[in-house]
Amino acid sequence: MSKVLVTGAAGFIGYHLCVRLLNEGHQVIGIDNISTYYDVNLKYARLRQLQSQEGFRFARMDIAECESMAMLFEAESFECVVNLAAQVGVRHSVQNPHAYINSNIVGFMNVLEGCRRLGVKHLVFASSSSVYGANTIMPFSIHQSVDHPVSLYAATKKSNELMAHSYAALFNLPCTGLRFFTVYGPWGRPDMAIFTFTKAILEGKTIDMYNYGNMKRDFTYVDDVVEGMMRVLARIPEGDPDWNGQHPDPASSFAPYKNYNIGNNNPVELGHFIEAIESASGKKAKVNFLPMQPGDVPATSADVTDLETDFGFRPAMCLEEGVRNFVDWYRSYYRV
């Protein structure tokens, strides 16, 4: 992994992955379109941190731009590619569907084509726990089918998995998809629960809690996610010779393709999550209970058995410690 392309490098997970790769001595080419979906000042602040480190180069680029992406792959010899660039957000996809098709489908197609043409050794890409959609058997397992998405965002992530598998089958391009479960931590996105809750609590404002508080999430600390990604990135998937088309296992394939859940495997009620923020901030929350929003699911829970079996790793950051780390960062960054 002497040279790694990270798309979405100015994003939350992309930033943390780049830091880890650089600390381990890899060359990192980071690209990002600096979308205005949330505060670009936070993205530029992450980039300044990265650009201060040796071995990092950045280009402002949109993965949906076919010619620019083709030129990038022709100019560089990437051993591995990590695709984290995407239009994110379940609720946002209800009002802005075209942004998701452009970035998550067209953009991912350009990444796949670049990897195919240049013979990249391993493509690792971000999927999402959202692909489990209407599934209700918990914890969610990669051995379950995921054919009933309840948001366009989830549908685009499921599409990414199908697109990657087709390239693995047609062109022998090794691909690994990672289904992230509610990632949180320092430098996190302002549209995510921990950010909006912390901001509201510190400002004495009211928190909107959907489904009247009956929500559970498998909150996963960003350092655990990055550790899982590093282990996955270092192992190139191979086809399973025992895969059977008459009884197809969604978690396996004849092609060099794999999916893994990366979650804390310990779902938490939102009420307890808010209590952890209250404890870390020393302030009480004001809560406004609202009905379920379109595209949301009431609970998520990750089965990480395959991740543990294949890599000897399962995320395990204590929620209280992780939340405290975020609140400390938030206060420092925003000088609260």
Side-chain angles (χ1 to χ4, degrees):
M1 295 193 301
S2 61
K3 186 185 289 187
V4 183
L5 170 66
V6 177
T7 74
F12 170 38
I13 299 175
Y15 161 75
H16 282 278
L17 177 64
C18 287
V19 169
R20 177 70 179 271
L21 287 166
L22 292 166
N23 286 343
E24 295 195 7
H26 302 294
Q27 298 179 54
V28 178
I29 311 297
I31 65 172
D32 201 294
N33 68 349
I34 316 294
S35 161
T36 56
Y37 172 66
Y38 65 80
D39 183 13
V40 297
N41 292 317
L42 182 58
K43 298 180 181 184
Y44 284 124
R46 295 180 188 132
L47 279 177
R48 285 193 293 272
Q49 296 286 322
L50 293 174
Q51 290 171 323
S52 68
Q53 297 193 52
E54 185 178 354
F56 181 79
R57 287 188 286 138
F58 176 74
R60 183 166 182 172
M61 186 180 301
D62 192 326
I63 62 171
E65 296 173 355
C66 182
E67 291 185 5
S68 297
M69 289 294 289
M71 291 174 60
L72 174 70
F73 275 92
E74 289 173 4
E76 306 283 354
S77 298
F78 303 117
E79 291 192 40
C80 299
V81 173
V82 183
N83 185 64
L84 298 172
Q87 178 58 60
V88 296
V90 169
R91 294 169 191 154
H92 187 66
S93 68
V94 178
Q95 281 80 35
N96 299 275
H98 292 91
Y100 289 76
I101 299 302
N102 193 45
S103 181
N104 300 5
I105 302 298
V106 176
F108 191 59
M109 181 76 256
N110 292 333
V111 172
L112 285 169
E113 272 294 284
C115 291
R116 175 187 70 83
R117 289 195 305 268
L118 272 297
V120 167
K121 293 180 180 179
H122 192 188
L123 167 63
V124 174
F125 65 96
S127 184
S128 169
S129 62
S130 297
V131 301
Y132 289 104
N135 290 18
T136 57
I137 297 175
M138 300 279 181
F140 293 143
S141 168
I142 60 171
H143 298 276
Q144 299 174 11
S145 65
V146 287
D147 296 328
H148 298 88
V150 295
S151 70
L152 181 65
Y153 170 68
T156 63
K157 287 302 184 178
K158 168 65 174 175
S159 299
N160 286 171
E161 294 180 1
L162 296 173
M163 294 163 71
H165 184 273
S166 70
Y167 268 61
L170 285 169
F171 307 115
N172 202 38
L173 172 65
C175 298
T176 304
L178 301 177
R179 296 173 179 172
F180 299 137
F181 282 70
T182 316
V183 186
Y184 75 101
W187 296 97
R189 295 196 336 249
D191 64 317
M192 298 197 73
I194 190 170
F195 200 110
T196 58
F197 289 178
T198 298
K199 183 175 188 294
I201 290 172
L202 290 175
E203 294 177 358
K205 296 180 179 179
T206 301
I207 292 170
D208 287 336
M209 189 182 293
Y210 296 101
N211 200 29
Y212 305 105
N214 299 312
M215 305 278 277
K216 297 179 77 172
R217 288 291 182 268
D218 207 344
F219 293 101
T220 312
Y221 193 67
V222 66
D223 287 356
D224 278 342
V225 168
V226 170
E227 177 63 29
M229 293 177 72
M230 292 296 293
R231 296 189 186 210
V232 168
L233 191 58
R235 179 184 295 181
I236 297 174
E238 299 178 351
D240 182 357
D242 297 324
W243 190 85
N244 187 337
Q246 293 186 349
H247 304 284
D249 177 3
S252 181
S253 177
F254 60 89
Y257 177 89
K258 287 286 291 183
N259 278 324
Y260 292 98
N261 288 336
I262 300 189
N264 200 52
N265 54 93
N266 184 27
V268 172
E269 293 182 354
L270 279 192
H272 178 63
F273 187 60
I274 290 173
E275 288 173 1
I277 300 174
E278 290 175 328
S279 176
S281 64
K283 290 196 170 188
K284 293 292 291 182
K286 302 174 184 177
V287 180
N288 179 35
F289 294 97
L290 295 170
M292 180 81 86
Q293 295 291 286
D296 261 354
V297 295
T300 63
S301 177
D303 181 338
V304 294
T305 302
D306 288 75
L307 183 71
E308 185 172 25
T309 298
D310 291 354
F311 300 99
F313 172 72
R314 62 189 300 129
M317 167 63 84
C318 168
L319 178 72
E320 286 73 18
E321 182 180 352
V323 167
R324 186 166 56 251
N325 290 344
F326 173 82
V327 172
D328 288 347
W329 168 81
Y330 183 94
R331 281 184 150 150
S332 174
Y333 181 80
Y334 289 101
R335 300 178 183 178
V336 177

